[in-house]
Amino acid sequence: MKRLQYLLVASLGAAVAHAQQPAPASEDIPDDIVRKVDPSVVAIQHETAAGSGFIITPDGYLLSNGHVVRGSDEEDPTQPAKSITVILNDEQKFPAKVVGFSLDPDVALLKIDPGHSLRPVEFADSRHVQIGQRCFAVGMPLGLKRTFTGGILSNVDRTDLGTETKVFQTDAAINPGNSGGPLFDHNGRVLGINTYARSGANNLGFTIPIHVALTLKDHFLAHGRFVRSDLPCYTTCELYAELARALQAERGVLVSAVLPRSAADKAGLRAGDIIVATDGQSTSARTRAELLDYNWGVNTRKPGSQISFTVLRGSPGARQTHTIQAQLQTMELLPRYGFHAGEIVEHRYDVLGLGVRQVVTASRILHRLPEADGVLVSTARQGDPAGKAGLKGNDILTHVAGKPTPDVAAFQRELEVHLARGAKAIELTVVRGRSTRVTALAPFYGLRNIRIALVIPARDAEHVDLLRRELLAGGATLAVVAPNTPTDGSRHDVILLAGGPGARDLWTDAETLRLVKEAHAAGKVVAAVGPSAVVLANAIVGIEGKKLTTTKADSAEIIRRKANYTGKPVETDGKVVTTTGFDRATVRDFLKTLDRIARANR
Amino acid sequence: MNLGLIPPSLWPRLPRRVLHDADATGVGHAGISEAETNDMITNSRTPVVNVPHVRALRKAIGPNPPVLWMLAAGLAVGGGGCATRRAPSPLEGQALFAALQQAVGAAGKKAEPSLALVKSEKSTPPTRRTVGGVTFVMRNPADISPSGGILLTPRGHVLVPGVIKPDQDDRLTVVVGETEHVARSIKVDDTLGMTILKVDSDEAFEALDLADGADLAVGEWAVVLKPTDEDSAFQKLSLLAVCQGEKAGRYRRFLLNQPLASSAGALVVNLSGQVVGVVDKTSGVLSINDVREDLQRFLADATGERLPDEELQKKGWLGAVFEPVNKEYARARNLPSSALLVLHAARNSPAAAAGMRAGDWVVGLNGKPLRLSGALALEYFSKSLRPRAGEPFGVTVLRHGKPVELKGTYTKAPQPKTLRAEDLGVTVTGITDSMLFSQNLGTEHGVLVTEVHRGSPAANSGSARQTLIVNKDIIVELAGQPTPTIAAFGKVLETIRRDRPPVVLVKYYRGWLTGYAGLNLTLGEQNPASQE
């Protein structure tokens, strides 16, 4: 009875609360709502940018925008920023880790370890919103923390930005710094993540609906990235009034294009088909928002699952119904286009001025690339060997010296064979547009006759591929040495120890220590990336006072051995060169310095 | 034409070793070695060329065979070979000089009525200052310096070097003969670096005949015709100059030994009266043979008249796309650095008919090996050759390392048809194999959109961001009917005009992907009469 009474009171309370749902008469955000949401909104800061975010679970998961946490690595756009700090509303600071991020839809999931329970936000039903609804945004515009701005939902079906999903438009003031912050409805429930604002305009702010963000959150938790299902055909056009009339079809989703020999083609779909039902459910896209919703619905299905389309085919008045069964594939990695920075890693040979990536179908369509199997040139710098060879961006390299290179691994393998033997001219077969030609890459071997031993830690070696290919492209005689292998130090001019967490095993590796000690005593150049710098501190006699740098985590070891830990990204002291190995750019700077010192020591 | 005395300071600078006693006459030569001169002397018993100036000379000097023949030979061949062993007497020298002046005058006579002096004045007059009894006239620095101009049409279109934008309100004065006229700038061509002015006058002018053109060889004499005006610093003269070479480029420019910086716009003729070129702002003589076509097109643009079709029709077409060989590759494969790679030989083109294939290396043309390398080689092949339809060609290509001779005949370039579909709001053109290759088009079985008319059904997408149909789309179906050619497109367009549907379906290729659009034919320019 008591319980029933309690329930009744509770339900009455709920009813009362429900009755309160329409917006209050006054314009103020009620004080209790402010106090409810304030602790959930955070500021996010990293080495190059800052923005806002909000807490979604008590144990420390946060949502923000992808562009707030993205890194600045040109070669690997999937890397987030390295040192992200999350600042709560009471100024407590925590380091954060990015679980996953995407740039379109612009969502990121982060995790902190707060040590105590945090206040998460409540979510509104962003599938059922109305224009004119009151909303307010909280964030850190231009660094001004805990700023509340208010307005209405100006539009809820905004597709004009070219984003993958529709976005909400609001006139609550959104400024740089508000990115990643929440847009609350008048009850303090999150409608979406504030993402874009039209610069130079007044009160045009755009918000990603929260249901989109939550779908991405699940993907990030499960896979670390957004894994889309590939819609087999291209549906790029909604059935606007004229098109519907010209096709004499009042409802359905138009198939705009089917690539020859694609999965859709094989399944039997044709351009011009009108999909009237998907998996038995009637589907239609008369507006752009409906079309984006339809595409989103298919993209978020599980890859590998079956899908069936009921299509109408034929000229108006003589249409026939067909049923097509297809299997959804995983969508390939995205190249850079629109808001996407891409998910494809570039393999760059800086001394050659050449960078290559794998080719994906989306690239072929974006840049009208030919069908050839090869690697895509993403960087070809003028003035460097790649530019002198006449290579241009979006060329496809199909052969190296006559041997086919259908993917990046094959290309690297073939190219490095010729680089290792110091070839004067390496012939490349280039396909551009509808023409094919062979050209010759003439590397400049600055490190010619310099013998380098590259010691690679047993596990988690970082940047090894980068070190290896840049040194090879520079013409060095490179020998890759596994740890704990007896090596004759006199046969090398430079000893280079790669980095990574596995490098800590090298600190006590007898062979490596001996190699470094003897090499340094013989006046050779010794260099180390990241934690391997401690090996130098251990091995070199008279290390006291010598300038070294390493990762912050291992700096204590350096200091303990009385070496002079400077913490600079790249440090040299005589013939000892070290680097923190923080990111690719730092390692490239380190290689330039090493290049200079090795050549001076020749 | 006032033939003033040529001041000695303007005499062509002559190599001393050849002058001997010929100094006083100012007659000599440049550019021909002594050995060649001796050859000419020993071998020339008869005049080499019978040209007007030689006849004038003969009349002036009288029968004096050794000197006459030497002069004739020298002047005709391109430089007067005059290393005489016996110095002419002062009287003979004066006569010679007078004859030379006459010859030079005669050379310029035909072109003289077509020359104009172009001046521009700002509304403020030049400042004059009198100091110590001497009046100095200072031209305002903003004034455009006077230059020569050339009359191209009887209605008074004048070609002037330099860029004078039509909207500048400088007062332009054009002096032709003794009369001054007002003119305004109507068209500018940035590539040529020239402007066309239109003279405000009802007078009929003498247009210069551009057809009779000639090139200058190194060492050949030329006459620079500069128009004059008492107020300006120029004198109406013909200046004798010698060609010292030519500068390669899109248009060749002959280099004369005269300083030409203040002679922009002057006409240069050779001693036979043929037009060699115009002095442009870079102090070179723009070759009329190279620039004639572009000049005619420029003039046609300016006057709104169509180019004579025969000109276009006569132009020869090869149908091959070339690319200069990469230097490193040429070095590695031992190819000549001037080799050109054949990227494409269009279907049904003279190149294809001759057997040229993609992948061939072109190393010779008409029996001569290609000499320029890189971009210049390409320019030479495409611009300087100026082939005519019907002319034969012979190309030497390297195929699998072996030279192969290919022969063929240039034909007329196929002009794809264009159709302006006002009802839809697009201008479309047929697609040739060359276009498919060079523009990397998605398909050739359609018509290419080259223009989307503003405010038309094809433009009205209802969204400010993009029109429904965009340039470079290829329309493959219209109202459900395939349109692989302009003719097919035109037929469907006729049925649309007849049936007047309110909307029409278009299927197009945009890049590699197909797409559909529904054009609302009630949109677009409204006919006022029908708005009741």
Side-chain angles (χ1 to χ4, degrees), chain A residues 61-126:
Chain A
Y61 278 100
L62 309 127
L63 276 180
S64 178
N65 277 152
H67 74 264
V68 170
V69 300
R70 65 181 286 198
S72 40
D73 192 338
E74 282 175 10
E75 292 165 62
D76 188 356
T78 60
Q79 290 297 315
K82 294 271 172 166
S83 49
I84 304 178
T85 308
V86 165
I87 307 155
L88 303 185
N89 75 325
D90 55 3
E91 298 298 320
Q92 286 184 71
K93 299 174 186 56
F94 302 98
K97 185 173 76 82
V98 172
V99 178
F101 75 102
S102 152
L103 287 176
D104 186 10
D106 204 339
V107 180
L109 182 68
L110 298 91
K111 177 77 173 64
I112 59 176
D113 287 318
H116 59 272
S117 193
L118 300 172
R119 172 98 64 96
V121 296
E122 291 169 13
F123 299 114
D125 183 4
S126 52

Coordinates of all heavy atoms in Angstrom, one line a residue, chain A residues 61-126:
Chain A
Y61 N 33.1 9.9 -18.9 CA 33.1 10.0 -20.4 C 32.5 11.4 -20.7 O 31.5 11.8 -20.1 CB 32.2 8.9 -21.0 CG 33.0 7.6 -21.1 CD1 32.8 6.6 -20.2 CD2 33.9 7.4 -22.2 CE1 33.5 5.4 -20.3 CE2 34.6 6.2 -22.3 CZ 34.4 5.2 -21.3 OH 35.1 4.1 -21.4
L62 N 33.1 12.0 -21.8 CA 32.7 13.3 -22.2 C 32.4 13.3 -23.7 O 33.1 12.6 -24.4 CB 33.7 14.4 -22.0 CG 34.4 14.5 -20.6 CD1 35.9 14.4 -20.7 CD2 34.0 15.8 -20.0
L63 N 31.5 14.2 -24.1 CA 31.3 14.4 -25.6 C 31.8 15.8 -25.9 O 31.7 16.7 -25.1 CB 29.8 14.3 -25.9 CG 29.3 12.9 -26.2 CD1 27.8 13.0 -26.5 CD2 30.1 12.2 -27.3
S64 N 32.4 15.9 -27.1 CA 32.7 17.2 -27.6 C 32.8 17.1 -29.1 O 32.3 16.1 -29.7 CB 34.1 17.6 -27.1 OG 34.5 18.9 -27.6
N65 N 33.3 18.1 -29.8 CA 33.4 18.1 -31.2 C 34.7 17.4 -31.6 O 35.7 17.5 -30.9 CB 33.5 19.5 -31.8 CG 32.1 20.1 -32.0 OD1 32.0 21.3 -32.0 ND2 31.1 19.2 -32.2
G66 N 34.7 16.8 -32.8 CA 35.9 16.2 -33.3 C 37.0 17.2 -33.6 O 38.2 17.0 -33.4
H67 N 36.6 18.3 -34.2 CA 37.6 19.3 -34.6 C 38.2 20.0 -33.4 O 39.2 20.7 -33.5 CB 37.0 20.4 -35.6 CG 36.1 21.4 -34.9 ND1 34.7 21.3 -34.9 CD2 36.4 22.6 -34.3 CE1 34.2 22.3 -34.3 NE2 35.2 23.1 -33.9
V68 N 37.7 19.8 -32.2 CA 38.3 20.4 -31.0 C 39.5 19.5 -30.6 O 40.5 20.0 -30.1 CB 37.3 20.5 -29.8 CG1 37.9 20.8 -28.5 CG2 36.2 21.5 -30.2
V69 N 39.4 18.2 -30.8 CA 40.4 17.3 -30.3 C 41.3 16.8 -31.4 O 42.2 16.0 -31.1 CB 39.8 16.1 -29.5 CG1 39.0 16.6 -28.3 CG2 39.0 15.3 -30.4
R70 N 41.1 17.2 -32.6 CA 41.9 16.6 -33.6 C 43.4 17.1 -33.5 O 43.7 18.2 -33.0 CB 41.4 17.0 -35.0 CG 41.5 18.4 -35.3 CD 40.9 18.8 -36.6 NE 41.8 18.4 -37.7 CZ 41.7 18.8 -38.9 NH1 40.8 19.7 -39.2 NH2 42.5 18.4 -39.9
G71 N 44.3 16.2 -34.0 CA 45.7 16.6 -33.9 C 46.1 17.4 -35.2 O 45.2 17.7 -36.0
S72 N 47.3 17.8 -35.2 CA 47.7 18.6 -36.4 C 48.7 17.8 -37.2 O 49.6 18.4 -37.9 CB 48.3 19.9 -35.9 OG 49.1 19.6 -34.7
D73 N 48.6 16.5 -37.2 CA 49.6 15.7 -38.0 C 49.0 15.6 -39.4 O 48.0 15.0 -39.6 CB 49.7 14.3 -37.4 CG 50.8 13.5 -38.0 OD1 51.3 13.9 -39.1 OD2 51.3 12.6 -37.3
E74 N 49.8 16.2 -40.4 CA 49.3 16.1 -41.8 C 49.3 14.7 -42.3 O 48.5 14.4 -43.2 CB 50.2 17.0 -42.6 CG 49.9 18.4 -42.5 CD 51.0 19.2 -43.3 OE1 51.7 18.6 -44.1 OE2 51.0 20.4 -43.2
E75 N 50.2 13.9 -41.9 CA 50.4 12.6 -42.5 C 49.4 11.6 -41.9 O 49.0 10.7 -42.5 CB 51.8 12.1 -42.3 CG 52.8 12.9 -43.1 CD 54.2 12.6 -42.6 OE1 54.7 11.5 -42.7 OE2 54.8 13.6 -42.1
D76 N 49.0 11.8 -40.6 CA 48.1 10.9 -40.0 C 46.9 11.6 -39.4 O 47.0 12.0 -38.2 CB 48.8 10.0 -39.0 CG 47.9 8.9 -38.4 OD1 46.8 8.8 -38.9 OD2 48.4 8.1 -37.6
P77 N 45.9 11.9 -40.2 CA 44.8 12.7 -39.7 C 43.9 12.0 -38.6 O 43.0 12.6 -38.0 CB 43.9 13.0 -40.9 CG 44.3 12.0 -41.9 CD 45.6 11.5 -41.6
T78 N 44.2 10.7 -38.4 CA 43.4 10.0 -37.3 C 44.0 10.2 -35.9 O 43.4 9.7 -35.0 CB 43.4 8.5 -37.6 OG1 44.7 8.0 -37.6 CG2 42.8 8.2 -38.9
Q79 N 45.1 10.9 -35.8 CA 45.7 11.2 -34.5 C 45.0 12.3 -33.8 O 44.9 13.4 -34.4 CB 47.2 11.5 -34.6 CG 48.0 10.3 -35.1 CD 47.9 9.2 -34.0 OE1 48.0 9.4 -32.8 NE2 47.7 8.0 -34.5
P80 N 44.5 12.2 -32.6 CA 44.0 13.3 -31.9 C 45.2 14.1 -31.3 O 46.3 13.8 -31.4 CB 43.2 12.7 -30.7 CG 43.9 11.4 -30.5 CD 44.4 10.9 -31.8
A81 N 44.9 15.2 -30.6 CA 45.9 16.0 -30.0 C 46.5 15.2 -28.9 O 45.9 14.3 -28.4 CB 45.3 17.3 -29.5
K82 N 47.8 15.6 -28.5 CA 48.5 14.8 -27.6 C 48.2 15.0 -26.1 O 48.2 14.1 -25.3 CB 50.0 14.9 -27.9 CG 50.4 14.4 -29.2 CD 50.8 13.0 -29.1 CE 51.1 12.4 -30.5 NZ 51.7 11.2 -30.6
S83 N 48.2 16.3 -25.8 CA 48.0 16.6 -24.3 C 46.8 17.4 -24.1 O 46.8 18.6 -24.2 CB 49.3 17.3 -23.8 OG 49.5 18.4 -24.6
I84 N 45.7 16.6 -23.9 CA 44.4 17.3 -23.7 C 44.1 17.4 -22.2 O 44.2 16.4 -21.4 CB 43.3 16.4 -24.4 CG1 43.7 16.2 -25.9 CG2 41.9 17.1 -24.3 CD1 42.7 15.4 -26.6
T85 N 43.7 18.6 -21.8 CA 43.3 18.8 -20.4 C 41.8 19.1 -20.4 O 41.3 19.9 -21.2 CB 44.1 20.0 -19.8 OG1 45.4 19.7 -20.1 CG2 43.8 20.1 -18.3
V86 N 41.1 18.5 -19.5 CA 39.7 18.9 -19.2 C 39.6 19.7 -18.0 O 40.1 19.3 -16.9 CB 38.8 17.6 -19.2 CG1 37.5 17.9 -18.6 CG2 38.7 17.0 -20.6
I87 N 38.9 20.8 -18.0 CA 38.8 21.7 -16.8 C 37.3 21.7 -16.5 O 36.4 22.2 -17.2 CB 39.3 23.1 -17.2 CG1 40.7 23.0 -17.7 CG2 39.3 23.9 -15.9 CD1 41.1 24.1 -18.6
L88 N 37.0 21.3 -15.2 CA 35.6 21.3 -14.8 C 35.2 22.7 -14.4 O 36.0 23.6 -14.3 CB 35.4 20.3 -13.6 CG 35.9 18.9 -13.8 CD1 35.5 18.1 -12.5 CD2 35.2 18.3 -15.0
N89 N 33.9 22.8 -14.1 CA 33.5 24.2 -13.8 C 34.0 24.7 -12.5 O 34.0 25.9 -12.3 CB 31.9 24.2 -13.8 CG 31.4 23.6 -12.5 OD1 31.9 22.6 -12.0 ND2 30.3 24.2 -12.0
D90 N 34.6 23.9 -11.6 CA 35.2 24.4 -10.4 C 36.7 24.4 -10.5 O 37.4 24.4 -9.5 CB 34.8 23.5 -9.2 CG 35.1 22.0 -9.4 OD1 35.7 21.7 -10.5 OD2 34.8 21.2 -8.6
E91 N 37.2 24.5 -11.8 CA 38.6 24.6 -12.1 C 39.4 23.4 -11.8 O 40.7 23.5 -11.8 CB 39.2 25.8 -11.4 CG 38.6 27.2 -11.8 CD 38.8 27.5 -13.3 OE1 39.9 27.2 -13.8 OE2 37.9 28.0 -14.0
Q92 N 38.9 22.2 -11.5 CA 39.7 21.0 -11.4 C 40.1 20.6 -12.7 O 39.3 20.6 -13.7 CB 38.8 19.9 -10.8 CG 38.6 20.0 -9.3 CD 37.8 18.8 -8.8 OE1 38.4 17.7 -8.8 NE2 36.5 18.9 -8.6
K93 N 41.4 20.2 -12.8 CA 41.9 19.8 -14.2 C 42.3 18.3 -14.2 O 42.9 17.8 -13.2 CB 43.1 20.6 -14.5 CG 42.9 22.1 -14.5 CD 44.1 22.9 -14.7 CE 43.9 24.4 -14.6 NZ 43.2 24.8 -13.4
F94 N 42.0 17.7 -15.3 CA 42.3 16.3 -15.5 C 42.8 16.1 -16.9 O 42.3 16.7 -17.9 CB 41.1 15.4 -15.3 CG 40.4 15.5 -14.0 CD1 39.3 16.4 -13.8 CD2 40.9 14.9 -12.9 CE1 38.7 16.5 -12.6 CE2 40.3 15.0 -11.6 CZ 39.2 15.9 -11.5
P95 N 43.9 15.2 -17.0 CA 44.3 14.8 -18.4 C 43.2 13.9 -19.0 O 42.6 13.1 -18.3 CB 45.6 14.0 -18.2 CG 45.5 13.5 -16.8 CD 44.6 14.4 -16.0
A96 N 43.0 14.0 -20.3 CA 42.0 13.3 -21.0 C 42.6 12.5 -22.1 O 43.6 12.8 -22.7 CB 40.9 14.2 -21.5
K97 N 41.9 11.4 -22.4 CA 42.3 10.5 -23.5 C 41.1 10.5 -24.5 O 39.9 10.5 -24.1 CB 42.5 9.1 -22.9 CG 43.0 8.1 -23.9 CD 43.3 6.8 -23.2 CE 42.1 6.0 -22.9 NZ 41.6 5.2 -24.0
V98 N 41.4 10.5 -25.8 CA 40.4 10.5 -26.8 C 40.0 9.0 -27.1 O 40.9 8.3 -27.5 CB 40.8 11.2 -28.0 CG1 39.8 11.1 -29.2 CG2 41.0 12.7 -27.7
V99 N 38.8 8.6 -26.9 CA 38.4 7.3 -27.2 C 38.1 7.1 -28.7 O 38.5 6.1 -29.3 CB 37.1 6.9 -26.5 CG1 36.6 5.5 -26.8 CG2 37.3 7.1 -25.0
G100 N 37.6 8.2 -29.3 CA 37.4 8.2 -30.8 C 36.9 9.5 -31.2 O 36.3 10.3 -30.4
F101 N 37.1 9.9 -32.5 CA 36.6 11.2 -32.9 C 36.4 11.1 -34.4 O 37.0 10.3 -35.1 CB 37.5 12.4 -32.6 CG 38.8 12.5 -33.4 CD1 38.8 13.4 -34.4 CD2 39.9 11.6 -33.2 CE1 40.0 13.5 -35.2 CE2 41.0 11.7 -33.9 CZ 41.1 12.7 -35.0
S102 N 35.4 11.9 -34.9 CA 35.1 12.0 -36.3 C 34.9 13.5 -36.6 O 34.5 14.2 -35.8 CB 33.8 11.2 -36.5 OG 33.1 11.7 -37.6
L103 N 35.2 13.8 -37.9 CA 35.0 15.2 -38.2 C 33.7 15.5 -38.9 O 33.4 16.7 -39.1 CB 36.2 15.6 -39.1 CG 37.5 15.8 -38.3 CD1 38.7 16.1 -39.2 CD2 37.4 16.9 -37.3
D104 N 33.0 14.5 -39.4 CA 31.7 14.7 -40.0 C 30.9 13.5 -39.8 O 31.2 12.6 -40.6 CB 31.8 15.2 -41.5 CG 30.5 15.6 -42.0 OD1 29.5 15.7 -41.3 OD2 30.4 15.7 -43.3
P105 N 30.0 13.3 -38.9 CA 29.5 14.2 -37.9 C 30.6 14.6 -36.9 O 31.4 13.7 -36.5 CB 28.4 13.5 -37.2 CG 28.1 12.3 -38.1 CD 29.3 12.0 -38.8
D106 N 30.7 15.8 -36.5 CA 31.8 16.4 -35.8 C 31.6 16.0 -34.3 O 31.2 16.8 -33.5 CB 31.8 17.9 -36.0 CG 33.2 18.5 -35.8 OD1 34.0 17.8 -35.1 OD2 33.4 19.6 -36.2
V107 N 32.0 14.8 -34.0 CA 31.8 14.3 -32.6 C 33.0 13.7 -32.1 O 33.7 13.0 -32.8 CB 30.6 13.3 -32.5 CG1 30.4 12.8 -31.1 CG2 29.3 13.9 -33.1
A108 N 33.3 13.8 -30.8 CA 34.5 13.2 -30.2 C 34.0 12.6 -28.8 O 33.2 13.3 -28.1 CB 35.6 14.1 -30.0
L109 N 34.6 11.5 -28.4 CA 34.3 10.9 -27.1 C 35.7 10.9 -26.4 O 36.7 10.4 -26.9 CB 33.8 9.5 -27.3 CG 33.5 8.8 -26.0 CD1 32.3 9.5 -25.3 CD2 33.1 7.3 -26.2
L110 N 35.7 11.5 -25.2 CA 36.9 11.5 -24.4 C 36.6 10.8 -23.0 O 35.5 10.6 -22.6 CB 37.3 13.0 -24.1 CG 37.6 13.9 -25.2 CD1 36.4 14.6 -25.7 CD2 38.7 14.9 -24.8
K111 N 37.7 10.5 -22.3 CA 37.6 9.9 -21.0 C 38.6 10.5 -20.1 O 39.7 10.7 -20.4 CB 37.9 8.4 -21.2 CG 37.9 7.6 -19.9 CD 36.4 7.3 -19.5 CE 36.4 6.4 -18.3 NZ 37.0 7.0 -17.1
I112 N 38.1 10.9 -18.9 CA 39.0 11.3 -17.8 C 38.8 10.4 -16.6 O 37.8 9.6 -16.5 CB 38.7 12.8 -17.4 CG1 37.2 12.9 -16.9 CG2 39.0 13.7 -18.5 CD1 36.9 14.3 -16.4
D113 N 39.7 10.4 -15.7 CA 39.6 9.6 -14.5 C 39.5 10.6 -13.3 O 40.5 11.0 -12.7 CB 40.9 8.8 -14.3 CG 40.8 7.6 -15.3 OD1 39.8 7.0 -15.5 OD2 41.9 7.3 -15.9
P114 N 38.3 11.0 -13.0 CA 38.2 12.1 -12.0 C 38.4 11.7 -10.6 O 38.7 12.5 -9.7 CB 36.8 12.6 -12.2 CG 36.0 11.4 -12.7 CD 37.0 10.6 -13.5
G115 N 38.3 10.4 -10.3 CA 38.5 10.0 -8.9 C 37.2 10.2 -8.1 O 37.1 9.6 -7.0
H116 N 36.3 11.0 -8.5 CA 35.0 11.0 -7.8 C 33.9 11.1 -8.9 O 34.2 11.2 -10.1 CB 34.9 12.3 -6.9 CG 35.1 13.5 -7.7 ND1 36.3 14.1 -7.9 CD2 34.2 14.4 -8.3 CE1 36.1 15.2 -8.6 NE2 34.9 15.4 -8.8
S117 N 32.7 10.9 -8.4 CA 31.6 10.8 -9.3 C 31.2 12.2 -9.9 O 31.1 13.2 -9.2 CB 30.4 10.2 -8.6 OG 29.4 9.8 -9.5
L118 N 31.0 12.3 -11.2 CA 30.7 13.5 -11.8 C 29.2 13.6 -12.1 O 28.5 12.6 -12.1 CB 31.4 13.7 -13.1 CG 33.0 13.7 -13.0 CD1 33.6 13.6 -14.4 CD2 33.5 14.9 -12.2
R119 N 28.7 14.9 -12.4 CA 27.3 15.0 -12.7 C 27.1 15.0 -14.3 O 27.6 15.9 -15.0 CB 26.9 16.4 -12.2 CG 25.5 16.8 -12.7 CD 24.5 16.5 -11.6 NE 24.7 17.4 -10.4 CZ 24.1 18.5 -10.2 NH1 23.2 19.0 -11.0 NH2 24.4 19.2 -9.1
P120 N 26.5 13.9 -14.8 CA 26.3 13.8 -16.2 C 25.0 14.7 -16.6 O 24.2 15.0 -15.8 CB 26.0 12.3 -16.5 CG 25.4 11.9 -15.2 CD 25.9 12.7 -14.1
V121 N 24.9 14.9 -17.9 CA 23.8 15.7 -18.4 C 22.6 14.7 -18.7 O 22.8 13.5 -18.7 CB 24.1 16.4 -19.8 CG1 25.1 17.4 -19.6 CG2 24.5 15.4 -20.8
E122 N 21.4 15.3 -18.9 CA 20.3 14.5 -19.3 C 20.1 14.8 -20.8 O 20.4 15.8 -21.3 CB 19.0 14.9 -18.6 CG 19.0 14.6 -17.1 CD 17.9 15.2 -16.4 OE1 17.0 15.8 -17.0 OE2 18.0 15.3 -15.1
F123 N 19.6 13.8 -21.5 CA 19.4 13.9 -22.9 C 17.9 14.2 -23.3 O 17.0 13.6 -22.7 CB 19.9 12.7 -23.7 CG 21.3 12.4 -23.5 CD1 21.7 11.2 -22.8 CD2 22.3 13.2 -23.9 CE1 23.1 11.0 -22.6 CE2 23.6 13.0 -23.7 CZ 24.0 11.8 -23.0
A124 N 17.7 15.1 -24.2 CA 16.4 15.3 -24.7 C 16.2 14.4 -25.9 O 17.1 13.8 -26.5 CB 16.2 16.8 -25.1
D125 N 14.9 14.4 -26.4 CA 14.6 13.6 -27.6 C 14.8 14.4 -28.8 O 13.9 15.2 -29.2 CB 13.2 13.0 -27.5 CG 12.9 12.1 -28.7 OD1 13.8 11.9 -29.5 OD2 11.7 11.7 -28.8
S126 N 16.0 14.4 -29.4 CA 16.3 15.3 -30.5 C 15.7 14.9 -31.8 O 15.8 15.6 -32.8 CB 17.8 15.4 -30.7 OG 18.4 14.1 -30.8

